[in-house]
Amino acid sequence: MWVITLIVGVWFVAAEGILLWFTFRYRKKDGVRAAYVPGKSFRQTGWILIPCVAILVCDLAIDAFGERVWKTIKEKVPPAQLQIGVEGRQWAWTFTHPGKDGILGSPDDIVIPNEIHVPVGENVAFTLGAADCLHSFWVPELRLKQDAVPGRHIQGWFRATRPGSYGVLCAELCGVAHGLMRGTLYVDTEADYERWLDSRIAAQPASQAAAFQAAPTPAPQPAPKTGGKS
Amino acid sequence: MSEATILEPPLDPPRAAPPAAHAGAHDDAPHGFWSTYFFSTDHKHIAKQYLLTGLCMAVIGGLLAHVMRMHLAFPDRAVPGFGEVPAGTYNALITMHGTIMIFFVAMPVLLGGFGNFLIPLMIGARDMAFPRLNMMSYWTFLVSCLILLGSFFVPGGASPAGWTAYPPLSANVAYSGAAWGVPLWIAAVALEFVAFLMGGINFITTAINLRAPGMKMFDLPMMVWMQLVASVIFLFSVGPLVAGAVLLLLDRVAGTGFYNPGAGGDPLLYQHLFWFFGHPEVYVILLPGLGIVAEILPVFARKPLFGYRMVVYATLATGVLSFIVWAHHQFVSGIDPRLASAFSITTILISVPVAITMFAFVATLWRGAIELKAAMLFAIGMVGVFFWGGVTGIINGSAAADIYVHDTYFVVAHFHYALIPPVFFSLFAGIYYWYPKMFGRMLNETLGKIHFWGTFLFVNVTFMPMFGLGLRGYPRRTFDPRVFAHLGDLHPLQLAATLGTIGLLLFQIPFVLNFFGSLRFGAVAGKNPWRANTLEWTVPSPPGHGNFEGTPVVYRGPYEYSAPGRDADWFPQDVAPGRPL
């Protein structure tokens, strides 16, 4: 991002500067006639084409940088210490945490609306689904954004590096209460996370997990890999 | 230089017979009031109809924006003159603002208005190739406008599904709650595209076949080139969208499942169909805007357009590239992430041909004799503001950076910076420049300059803060910022943007006064008030039915200003070599 901003910033300032300079420098003066510069010869068009070759080089540099980041974030899902299910529906997020056994889809799963807990510094893999229309799982502070598409279970990952609580937003227009659809991501220390897990397990009636089968199950066929990171 | 010395025609112009395609296209029988002003087949009247309809829609679209912005700045108060803005209404507002501004303002004004008016005049033709089709195009468009506006008043209100109308939200009444609004939206948009399809076919046929004798393709004014390429882009891209819209309508009213995963469909299919059209559409709008600027800069700098052929080739390259960038709207939409790398490269590459065109515009000013008339101010302003849209497009185009800024106010700021210059700046530039030709009178320059500086200032006051909002994580399409804790301290930026909108609307008043006042009180324009070279300035203002007395003959390109060896600093396209003016 900083690389891009720097590159395009330099170009932008140069272009606007030259535009302003030309505008004021070559205002009409009495007795001064405009020069006939049709820009046909190669010598003249060079003033355009050479900067554009430079732009091409900058473009490719931006792509090369961006490609590396993109690959890390979206294409390679690293081994994760925690698996979480995320589902968007009008207009709430449902998060499924694995219980003590660490396996999603087992009876001790913890299903909570609009609240997600993860231990700090660990890779968290998520499976993202949508129950009705498109939603987008967005945690601005974590630079994490991925659309949830009905009919697909999209894999992704993130790693939160700083404890605290962060807003979970929906970034895809999903109906009347789209603007109210929010959740909270709690990034806990390891001890806090264990304590929270224990309290949830104690609070959760045994029947609830069985009744709540809304948790996304792994996709039947290989789904496109997508994700995010801190 | 006085008018009299300018307007003398060549002594012995080689007259050619009118092209055969035109014989019988116009009867010379007297026309009644209705057939002249309403059901006219004259491209100039159709152009004015398109222009005025588009400007009326712009007023509606602008007022919708005003209501939204007032609500965002003062979310706990009713908007004066409108009332409370509940969430559902807010979604309808954003949908209709986007739809109106892109499809019902930008296209009718830039293509329907300026394209219709200028293509025949600039190439020396008596009218469009198919005048009746042209009239039908306008009336189809008007019906689509009425359907769209009518959807405000049906039960459930206008479509709240976003201007992109992504299913399943748009395909299922249970999700969106608008039983009538969405089908009407689909019908209006599809009908509008039928209208522009008729117009586009007309543009292409006319520009290629009805050029005046002697006018080679590389003698075409840049405006005609840009309209031609824009029409070709539109022609090739609109099919998938209309197909997509029909499938959506079937999903909605006939219970099919093209986009319904429960019935074996896929919502992403619609996104691909939509953006395969939707992104080229940006260039359908941008190119005519660039064309207007390309006409105005040489006239007021008294210089040839720098690198004419280079700009033509760059335009063609832009057109081709515009077809392979659509998936950059879908980096985080659930497509295979490996696709993103390829689309990131093509998206960023399109900056090269566009940069060639923009740099050529800047180079046109170099060593010129620049007169800052209102038209020129808007043209230079277009170039200046568009650079913002261009460089921020690189940030969106890079897949990795897009993850964060996607669907935030950063994108809102970016596309307003990318679309307001070609639509509104070049629209105003074009009106200040061609108004004398359209209506026979001059616009007031002082009011024009007030209009420019106010508009220029407040466009930036409105949209500059949005970059900041987006970078701080402010989502677009969020009707109440108080819901999210981290958005509370961004309120001053929202307030600034709203004040910008108010300023922007107020500074359109001088323009409206000028536009209607000058119809009556403006100075009489004469044939060629700007001493311009292109053919539309060789006929009376406003031109009569059938445009040209005889068929003009073209001897040179459109931008021969300050040519060496001539006393006059201009050299109209139809003046034979060696003849004085």
Side-chain angles (χ1 to χ4, degrees):
Chain A
M1 186 82 189
W2 288 115
V3 177
I4 305 179
T5 311
L6 187 70
I7 293 177
V8 300
V10 168
W11 278 104
F12 174 74
V13 171
E16 294 279 10
I18 292 173
L19 177 69
L20 273 179
W21 176 46
F22 282 1
T23 307
F24 289 103
R25 167 70 182 76
Y26 297 109
R27 290 287 290 277
K28 185 180 177 171
K29 294 186 206 78
D30 282 341
V32 178
R33 193 175 151 129
Y36 183 77
V37 191
K40 280 179 188 152
S41 66
F42 187 74
R43 214 170 64 84
Q44 284 176 353
T45 50
W47 283 98
I48 305 290
L49 294 176
I50 291 167
C52 282
V53 170
I55 285 187
L56 186 66
V57 172
C58 289
D59 283 351
L60 294 176
I62 290 172
D63 270 324
F65 274 105
E67 179 70 14
R68 239 180 34 214
V69 181
W70 176 263
K71 276 222 157 69
T72 331
I73 298 178
K74 291 282 182 189
E75 287 189 32
K76 298 176 189 154
V77 178
Q81 285 90 3
L82 181 64
Q83 282 279 345
I84 284 186
V86 183
E87 192 187 50
R89 61 172 65 226
Q90 285 180 324
W91 291 277
W93 293 105
T94 306
F95 298 106
T96 311
H97 298 74
K100 279 285 172 198
D101 61 359
I103 302 165
L104 270 185
S106 60
D108 70 339
D109 281 359
I110 299 165
V111 180
I112 347 173
N114 291 329
E115 208 180 307
I116 177 172
H117 287 256
V118 297
V120 67
E122 285 190 6
N123 289 347
V124 180
F126 61 83
T127 306
L128 182 60
D132 33 45
C133 44
L134 298 170
H135 301 277
S136 191
F137 179 42
W138 186 25
V139 188
E141 278 92 343
L142 265 59
R143 307 294 184 261
L144 165 68
K145 187 181 285 144
Q146 177 59 51
D147 282 11
V149 183
R152 288 179 186 229
H153 293 98
I154 296 166
Q155 313 289 325
W157 73 284
F158 64 91
R159 182 175 62 224
T161 51
R162 226 175 286 167
S165 62
Y166 305 97
V168 178
L169 286 66
C170 176
E172 192 68 69
L173 183 65
C174 60
V176 173
H178 159 66
L180 304 175
M181 182 165 169
R182 61 174 170 166
T184 311
L185 165 72
Y186 294 94
V187 178
D188 302 331
T189 60
E190 194 71 41
D192 280 348
Y193 180 74
E194 290 300 329
R195 208 170 309 132
W196 170 81
L197 199 61
D198 289 336
S199 70
R200 288 302 305 196
I201 290 168
Q204 178 156 311
S207 60
Q208 187 183 332
F212 220 130
Q213 279 306 321
T217 46
Q221 61 239 62
K225 285 187 278 176
T226 343
K229 72 156 199 168
S230 62
Chain B
M1 191 176 299
S2 76
E3 283 293 311
T5 55
I6 299 168
L7 303 174
E8 187 191 345
L11 282 181
D12 46 355
R15 298 282 186 207
H22 261 100
H26 283 282
D27 52 78
D28 290 328
H31 290 266
F33 177 79
W34 283 95
S35 63
T36 308
Y37 293 104
F38 285 87
F39 300 101
S40 173
T41 53
D42 184 350
H43 70 98
K44 298 182 291 296
H45 280 292
I46 295 169
K48 287 176 195 171
Q49 287 171 325
Y50 261 122
L51 191 65
L52 292 175
T53 315
L55 287 173
C56 289
M57 294 301 275
V59 172
I60 297 170
L63 291 176
L64 293 181
H66 170 72
V67 173
M68 280 188 301
R69 291 248 45 104
M70 288 298 282
H71 172 75
L72 286 173
F74 310 104
D76 43 2
R77 265 183 258 167
V79 177
F82 185 85
E84 293 284 341
V85 181
T89 309
Y90 183 80
N91 287 350
L93 284 174
I94 55 173
T95 304
M96 296 301 270
H97 169 73
T99 309
I100 287 177
M101 285 302 191
I102 290 182
F103 296 138
F104 292 83
V105 175
M107 288 172 68
V109 166
L110 295 176
L111 295 149
F114 287 109
N116 255 320
F117 189 81
L118 292 170
I119 290 176
L121 282 172
M122 282 183 154
I123 64 173
R126 287 169 58 79
D127 202 327
M128 283 286 174
F130 311 114
R132 275 174 204 286
L133 188 71
N134 207 11
M135 178 177 79
M136 198 166 138
S137 154
Y138 172 74
W139 287 99
T140 312
F141 165 71
L142 190 68
V143 170
S144 75
C145 284
L146 296 177
I147 293 177
L148 191 78
L149 294 180
S151 75
F152 277 113
F153 305 103
V154 297
S159 166
W163 81 274
T164 52
Y166 280 180
L169 183 64
S170 59
N172 191 329
V173 64
Y175 296 156
S176 62
W180 286 65
V182 178
L184 286 180
W185 182 93
I186 300 170
V189 170
L191 205 57
E192 199 238 3
F193 291 156
V194 172
F196 279 93
L197 208 50
M198 293 190 257
I201 291 166
N202 226 338
F203 284 11
I204 295 168
T205 317
T206 307
I208 291 179
N209 290 318
L210 298 186
R211 278 169 290 134
M215 183 177 252
K216 299 185 285 295
M217 286 305 272
F218 281 111
D219 292 332
L220 286 180
M222 199 52 76
M223 180 66 175
V224 181
W225 264 116
M226 296 280 185
Q227 293 276 355
L228 184 62
V229 177
S231 302
V232 172
I233 296 175
F234 183 77
L235 213 60
F236 280 113
S237 64
V238 76
L241 181 85
V242 172
V246 169
L247 299 188
L248 183 59
L249 201 61
L250 286 175
D251 266 15
R252 173 114 191 165
V253 300
T256 55
F258 295 106
Y259 308 127
N260 176 5
D266 190 337
L268 290 189
L269 170 63
Y270 176 85
Q271 297 185 15
H272 286 293
L273 293 173
F274 183 88
W275 288 117
F276 184 79
F277 162 80
H279 202 82
E281 165 74 10
V282 173
Y283 296 93
V284 172
I285 295 169
L286 171 64
L287 293 182
L290 292 177
I292 291 173
V293 172
E295 293 305 316
I296 291 171
L297 290 178
V299 173
F300 293 98
R302 310 309 293 171
K303 278 191 63 206
L305 181 70
F306 189 89
Y308 173 94
R309 278 181 186 241
M310 185 178 64
V311 175
V312 171
Y313 292 133
T315 306
L316 294 171
T318 311
V320 172
L321 277 176
S322 73
F323 281 98
I324 48 172
V325 298
W326 80 88
H328 68 226
H329 295 268
Q330 297 169 265
F331 285 152
V332 294
S333 75
I335 59 169
D336 190 315
R338 282 165 298 184
L339 262 179
S341 309
F343 276 99
S344 191
I345 292 171
T346 56
T347 300
I348 289 184
L349 277 187
I350 207 168
S351 67
V352 175
V354 175
I356 289 180
T357 308
M358 299 305 286
F359 288 170
F361 288 174
V362 175
T364 302
L365 299 176
W366 182 62
R367 292 179 62 197
I370 298 169
E371 267 188 285
L372 289 182
K373 301 272 192 199
M376 185 63 162
L377 284 172
F378 272 108
I380 295 176
M382 188 275 184
V383 177
V385 180
F386 186 74
F387 277 130
W388 276 108
V391 295
T392 52
I394 301 274
I395 295 174
N396 287 322
S398 171
D402 183 65
I403 297 170
Y404 182 64
V405 295
H406 188 81
D407 275 328
T408 67
Y409 263 89
F410 187 89
V411 171
V412 178
H414 156 70
F415 70 67
H416 280 93
Y417 268 105
L419 286 177
I420 282 201
V423 178
F424 285 100
F425 277 62
S426 59
L427 149 69
F428 291 133
I431 288 184
Y432 283 105
Y433 182 61
W434 281 297
Y435 186 93
K437 184 53 61 186
M438 287 181 175
F439 300 102
R441 289 180 185 268
M442 306 295 287
L443 283 169
N444 182 304
E445 278 294 323
T446 313
L447 281 176
K449 281 174 187 161
I450 294 171
H451 177 214
F452 169 75
W453 288 110
T455 306
F456 184 79
L457 176 69
F458 283 107
V459 160
N460 290 303
V461 173
T462 304
F463 297 108
M464 202 67 75
M466 293 188 188
F467 286 122
L469 286 171
L471 291 175
R472 302 271 303 272
Y474 203 113
R476 62 194 279 213
R477 298 164 164 170
T478 299
F479 93 108
D480 190 347
R482 292 167 301 180
V483 173
F484 300 101
H486 74 291
L487 303 181
D489 54 341
L490 297 177
H491 190 251
L493 289 176
Q494 282 287 14
L495 199 61
T498 301
L499 293 177
T501 318
I502 296 171
L504 201 52
L505 287 173
L506 287 180
F507 268 98
Q508 305 315 306
I509 294 174
F511 171 72
V512 176
L513 292 179
N514 202 355
F515 191 94
F516 291 105
S518 296
L519 281 179
R520 196 182 164 90
F521 302 110
V524 175
K527 271 189 186 176
N528 194 352
W530 313 119
R531 292 173 294 131
N533 285 346
T534 40
L535 291 177
E536 80 268 26
W537 300 105
T538 63
V539 293
S541 308
H545 202 70
N547 298 344
F548 294 89
E549 289 289 317
T551 306
V553 176
V554 172
Y555 296 97
R556 64 188 62 77
Y559 304 115
E560 295 297 302
Y561 293 100
S562 304
R566 278 178 60 84
D567 288 339
D569 64 352
W570 54 305
F571 205 177
Q573 286 189 279
D574 65 339
V575 171
R579 283 191 45 77
L581 279 173

mmCIF file of all heavy atoms in Angstrom, chain A residues 157-183:
data_model
loop_
_atom_site.group_PDB
_atom_site.id
_atom_site.type_symbol
_atom_site.label_atom_id
_atom_site.label_comp_id
_atom_site.label_asym_id
_atom_site.label_seq_id
_atom_site.Cartn_x
_atom_site.Cartn_y
_atom_site.Cartn_z
ATOM 1 N N TRP A 157 -8.048 -17.244 6.274
ATOM 2 C CA TRP A 157 -7.338 -17.297 7.553
ATOM 3 C C TRP A 157 -6.954 -15.899 7.981
ATOM 4 O O TRP A 157 -6.931 -14.973 7.183
ATOM 5 C CB TRP A 157 -6.083 -18.157 7.449
ATOM 6 C CG TRP A 157 -4.969 -17.502 6.662
ATOM 7 C CD1 TRP A 157 -4.902 -17.389 5.327
ATOM 8 C CD2 TRP A 157 -3.812 -16.864 7.189
ATOM 9 N NE1 TRP A 157 -3.762 -16.718 4.973
ATOM 10 C CE2 TRP A 157 -3.073 -16.395 6.097
ATOM 11 C CE3 TRP A 157 -3.316 -16.658 8.489
ATOM 12 C CZ2 TRP A 157 -1.858 -15.708 6.252
ATOM 13 C CZ3 TRP A 157 -2.114 -15.986 8.636
ATOM 14 C CH2 TRP A 157 -1.396 -15.518 7.526
ATOM 15 N N PHE A 158 -6.687 -15.763 9.273
ATOM 16 C CA PHE A 158 -6.123 -14.497 9.756
ATOM 17 C C PHE A 158 -5.354 -14.765 11.032
ATOM 18 O O PHE A 158 -5.451 -15.848 11.633
ATOM 19 C CB PHE A 158 -7.217 -13.454 9.986
ATOM 20 C CG PHE A 158 -8.208 -13.786 11.064
ATOM 21 C CD1 PHE A 158 -7.997 -13.388 12.376
ATOM 22 C CD2 PHE A 158 -9.367 -14.510 10.774
ATOM 23 C CE1 PHE A 158 -8.912 -13.688 13.369
ATOM 24 C CE2 PHE A 158 -10.290 -14.812 11.762
ATOM 25 C CZ PHE A 158 -10.059 -14.406 13.068
ATOM 26 N N ARG A 159 -4.554 -13.805 11.421
ATOM 27 C CA ARG A 159 -3.821 -13.907 12.679
ATOM 28 C C ARG A 159 -3.872 -12.531 13.319
ATOM 29 O O ARG A 159 -3.389 -11.553 12.748
ATOM 30 C CB ARG A 159 -2.375 -14.332 12.432
ATOM 31 C CG ARG A 159 -1.580 -14.505 13.724
ATOM 32 C CD ARG A 159 -0.196 -15.044 13.458
ATOM 33 N NE ARG A 159 0.584 -14.143 12.630
ATOM 34 C CZ ARG A 159 1.347 -14.525 11.605
ATOM 35 N NH1 ARG A 159 1.465 -15.792 11.288
ATOM 36 N NH2 ARG A 159 2.022 -13.635 10.903
ATOM 37 N N ALA A 160 -4.479 -12.464 14.481
ATOM 38 C CA ALA A 160 -4.574 -11.183 15.187
ATOM 39 C C ALA A 160 -3.357 -11.044 16.081
ATOM 40 O O ALA A 160 -3.023 -11.959 16.836
ATOM 41 C CB ALA A 160 -5.852 -11.121 16.007
ATOM 42 N N THR A 161 -2.679 -9.907 15.994
ATOM 43 C CA THR A 161 -1.406 -9.775 16.709
ATOM 44 C C THR A 161 -1.518 -8.932 17.965
ATOM 45 O O THR A 161 -0.578 -8.858 18.731
ATOM 46 C CB THR A 161 -0.352 -9.128 15.793
ATOM 47 O OG1 THR A 161 -0.916 -7.938 15.234
ATOM 48 C CG2 THR A 161 0.038 -10.064 14.677
ATOM 49 N N ARG A 162 -2.659 -8.291 18.184
ATOM 50 C CA ARG A 162 -2.761 -7.419 19.344
ATOM 51 C C ARG A 162 -4.074 -7.699 20.055
ATOM 52 O O ARG A 162 -5.130 -7.717 19.415
ATOM 53 C CB ARG A 162 -2.734 -5.950 18.893
ATOM 54 C CG ARG A 162 -1.796 -5.101 19.727
ATOM 55 C CD ARG A 162 -1.715 -3.701 19.167
ATOM 56 N NE ARG A 162 -0.941 -3.607 17.943
ATOM 57 C CZ ARG A 162 -0.941 -2.532 17.157
ATOM 58 N NH1 ARG A 162 -1.690 -1.500 17.457
ATOM 59 N NH2 ARG A 162 -0.202 -2.504 16.072
ATOM 60 N N PRO A 163 -4.053 -7.914 21.374
ATOM 61 C CA PRO A 163 -5.292 -8.173 22.088
ATOM 62 C C PRO A 163 -6.200 -6.954 22.064
ATOM 63 O O PRO A 163 -5.724 -5.826 21.952
ATOM 64 C CB PRO A 163 -4.848 -8.472 23.527
ATOM 65 C CG PRO A 163 -3.370 -8.608 23.481
ATOM 66 C CD PRO A 163 -2.874 -7.912 22.275
ATOM 67 N N GLY A 164 -7.491 -7.204 22.171
ATOM 68 C CA GLY A 164 -8.447 -6.098 22.185
ATOM 69 C C GLY A 164 -9.740 -6.549 21.548
ATOM 70 O O GLY A 164 -9.915 -7.733 21.230
ATOM 71 N N SER A 165 -10.657 -5.601 21.365
ATOM 72 C CA SER A 165 -11.902 -5.965 20.690
ATOM 73 C C SER A 165 -12.044 -5.115 19.435
ATOM 74 O O SER A 165 -11.719 -3.932 19.437
ATOM 75 C CB SER A 165 -13.091 -5.762 21.626
ATOM 76 O OG SER A 165 -13.187 -4.413 21.983
ATOM 77 N N TYR A 166 -12.495 -5.749 18.368
ATOM 78 C CA TYR A 166 -12.554 -5.084 17.077
ATOM 79 C C TYR A 166 -13.939 -5.293 16.472
ATOM 80 O O TYR A 166 -14.562 -6.332 16.668
ATOM 81 C CB TYR A 166 -11.489 -5.662 16.137
ATOM 82 C CG TYR A 166 -10.094 -5.603 16.710
ATOM 83 C CD1 TYR A 166 -9.535 -6.717 17.348
ATOM 84 C CD2 TYR A 166 -9.349 -4.437 16.641
ATOM 85 C CE1 TYR A 166 -8.267 -6.660 17.886
ATOM 86 C CE2 TYR A 166 -8.079 -4.365 17.175
ATOM 87 C CZ TYR A 166 -7.538 -5.475 17.803
ATOM 88 O OH TYR A 166 -6.295 -5.412 18.343
ATOM 89 N N GLY A 167 -14.372 -4.294 15.685
ATOM 90 C CA GLY A 167 -15.679 -4.407 15.053
ATOM 91 C C GLY A 167 -15.646 -5.373 13.880
ATOM 92 O O GLY A 167 -14.692 -5.419 13.117
ATOM 93 N N VAL A 168 -16.703 -6.180 13.768
ATOM 94 C CA VAL A 168 -16.891 -7.019 12.582
ATOM 95 C C VAL A 168 -18.051 -6.419 11.805
ATOM 96 O O VAL A 168 -19.151 -6.298 12.334
ATOM 97 C CB VAL A 168 -17.204 -8.478 12.962
ATOM 98 C CG1 VAL A 168 -17.431 -9.305 11.706
ATOM 99 C CG2 VAL A 168 -16.096 -9.057 13.808
ATOM 100 N N LEU A 169 -17.795 -6.030 10.568
ATOM 101 C CA LEU A 169 -18.810 -5.357 9.778
ATOM 102 C C LEU A 169 -19.242 -6.240 8.618
ATOM 103 O O LEU A 169 -18.585 -7.228 8.295
ATOM 104 C CB LEU A 169 -18.278 -4.040 9.216
ATOM 105 C CG LEU A 169 -18.110 -2.846 10.154
ATOM 106 C CD1 LEU A 169 -17.031 -3.098 11.185
ATOM 107 C CD2 LEU A 169 -17.777 -1.605 9.359
ATOM 108 N N CYS A 170 -20.353 -5.838 7.995
ATOM 109 C CA CYS A 170 -20.720 -6.443 6.727
ATOM 110 C C CYS A 170 -20.459 -5.401 5.650
ATOM 111 O O CYS A 170 -20.924 -4.274 5.756
ATOM 112 C CB CYS A 170 -22.181 -6.860 6.708
ATOM 113 S SG CYS A 170 -22.674 -7.492 5.096
ATOM 114 N N ALA A 171 -19.693 -5.784 4.630
ATOM 115 C CA ALA A 171 -19.314 -4.803 3.612
ATOM 116 C C ALA A 171 -20.060 -4.999 2.301
ATOM 117 O O ALA A 171 -19.728 -4.387 1.305
ATOM 118 C CB ALA A 171 -17.806 -4.864 3.363
ATOM 119 N N GLU A 172 -21.052 -5.861 2.273
ATOM 120 C CA GLU A 172 -21.801 -6.066 1.026
ATOM 121 C C GLU A 172 -23.271 -5.795 1.312
ATOM 122 O O GLU A 172 -23.832 -6.359 2.250
ATOM 123 C CB GLU A 172 -21.585 -7.499 0.534
ATOM 124 C CG GLU A 172 -22.066 -7.769 -0.871
ATOM 125 C CD GLU A 172 -21.242 -7.039 -1.920
ATOM 126 O OE1 GLU A 172 -20.071 -7.386 -2.126
ATOM 127 O OE2 GLU A 172 -21.797 -6.110 -2.523
ATOM 128 N N LEU A 173 -23.865 -4.928 0.507
ATOM 129 C CA LEU A 173 -25.261 -4.530 0.719
ATOM 130 C C LEU A 173 -26.147 -5.770 0.830
ATOM 131 O O LEU A 173 -26.184 -6.601 -0.075
ATOM 132 C CB LEU A 173 -25.733 -3.658 -0.446
ATOM 133 C CG LEU A 173 -27.150 -3.098 -0.331
ATOM 134 C CD1 LEU A 173 -27.246 -2.130 0.833
ATOM 135 C CD2 LEU A 173 -27.569 -2.441 -1.616
ATOM 136 N N CYS A 174 -26.850 -5.910 1.971
ATOM 137 C CA CYS A 174 -27.588 -7.158 2.182
ATOM 138 C C CYS A 174 -28.997 -6.901 2.674
ATOM 139 O O CYS A 174 -29.579 -7.713 3.373
ATOM 140 C CB CYS A 174 -26.828 -8.060 3.145
ATOM 141 S SG CYS A 174 -26.567 -7.341 4.763
ATOM 142 N N GLY A 175 -29.544 -5.748 2.326
ATOM 143 C CA GLY A 175 -30.937 -5.535 2.693
ATOM 144 C C GLY A 175 -31.101 -4.407 3.694
ATOM 145 O O GLY A 175 -30.153 -3.666 3.984
ATOM 146 N N VAL A 176 -32.319 -4.302 4.230
ATOM 147 C CA VAL A 176 -32.684 -3.125 5.021
ATOM 148 C C VAL A 176 -31.703 -2.847 6.145
ATOM 149 O O VAL A 176 -31.191 -1.747 6.286
ATOM 150 C CB VAL A 176 -34.106 -3.312 5.593
ATOM 151 C CG1 VAL A 176 -34.431 -2.197 6.555
ATOM 152 C CG2 VAL A 176 -35.118 -3.342 4.457
ATOM 153 N N ALA A 177 -31.384 -3.845 6.944
ATOM 154 C CA ALA A 177 -30.578 -3.597 8.133
ATOM 155 C C ALA A 177 -29.099 -3.859 7.886
ATOM 156 O O ALA A 177 -28.340 -4.089 8.826
ATOM 157 C CB ALA A 177 -31.086 -4.440 9.292
ATOM 158 N N HIS A 178 -28.682 -3.794 6.633
ATOM 159 C CA HIS A 178 -27.269 -3.995 6.296
ATOM 160 C C HIS A 178 -26.363 -3.129 7.169
ATOM 161 O O HIS A 178 -25.339 -3.581 7.679
ATOM 162 C CB HIS A 178 -27.053 -3.679 4.812
ATOM 163 C CG HIS A 178 -25.653 -3.360 4.453
ATOM 164 N ND1 HIS A 178 -24.645 -4.296 4.545
ATOM 165 C CD2 HIS A 178 -25.075 -2.217 4.009
ATOM 166 C CE1 HIS A 178 -23.505 -3.734 4.160
ATOM 167 N NE2 HIS A 178 -23.738 -2.473 3.833
ATOM 168 N N GLY A 179 -26.763 -1.888 7.354
ATOM 169 C CA GLY A 179 -25.931 -0.960 8.109
ATOM 170 C C GLY A 179 -25.887 -1.266 9.594
ATOM 171 O O GLY A 179 -25.090 -0.673 10.319
ATOM 172 N N LEU A 180 -26.742 -2.152 10.048
ATOM 173 C CA LEU A 180 -26.765 -2.478 11.479
ATOM 174 C C LEU A 180 -26.107 -3.816 11.761
ATOM 175 O O LEU A 180 -26.024 -4.255 12.902
ATOM 176 C CB LEU A 180 -28.212 -2.523 11.983
ATOM 177 C CG LEU A 180 -29.025 -1.249 11.745
ATOM 178 C CD1 LEU A 180 -30.470 -1.458 12.166
ATOM 179 C CD2 LEU A 180 -28.406 -0.094 12.501
ATOM 180 N N MET A 181 -25.670 -4.465 10.714
ATOM 181 C CA MET A 181 -25.135 -5.824 10.876
ATOM 182 C C MET A 181 -23.711 -5.727 11.398
ATOM 183 O O MET A 181 -22.815 -5.280 10.706
ATOM 184 C CB MET A 181 -25.156 -6.522 9.514
ATOM 185 C CG MET A 181 -24.684 -7.948 9.547
ATOM 186 S SD MET A 181 -25.159 -8.755 8.015
ATOM 187 C CE MET A 181 -24.223 -10.270 8.147
ATOM 188 N N ARG A 182 -23.529 -6.142 12.625
ATOM 189 C CA ARG A 182 -22.192 -5.981 13.198
ATOM 190 C C ARG A 182 -21.943 -7.066 14.234
ATOM 191 O O ARG A 182 -22.860 -7.651 14.813
ATOM 192 C CB ARG A 182 -22.056 -4.618 13.860
ATOM 193 C CG ARG A 182 -23.060 -4.486 14.968
ATOM 194 C CD ARG A 182 -22.890 -3.236 15.756
ATOM 195 N NE ARG A 182 -24.044 -3.087 16.634
ATOM 196 C CZ ARG A 182 -24.078 -2.243 17.643
ATOM 197 N NH1 ARG A 182 -23.077 -1.464 17.892
ATOM 198 N NH2 ARG A 182 -25.149 -2.173 18.391
ATOM 199 N N GLY A 183 -20.690 -7.302 14.450
ATOM 200 C CA GLY A 183 -20.293 -8.221 15.498
ATOM 201 C C GLY A 183 -19.032 -7.694 16.146
ATOM 202 O O GLY A 183 -18.553 -6.613 15.813
#
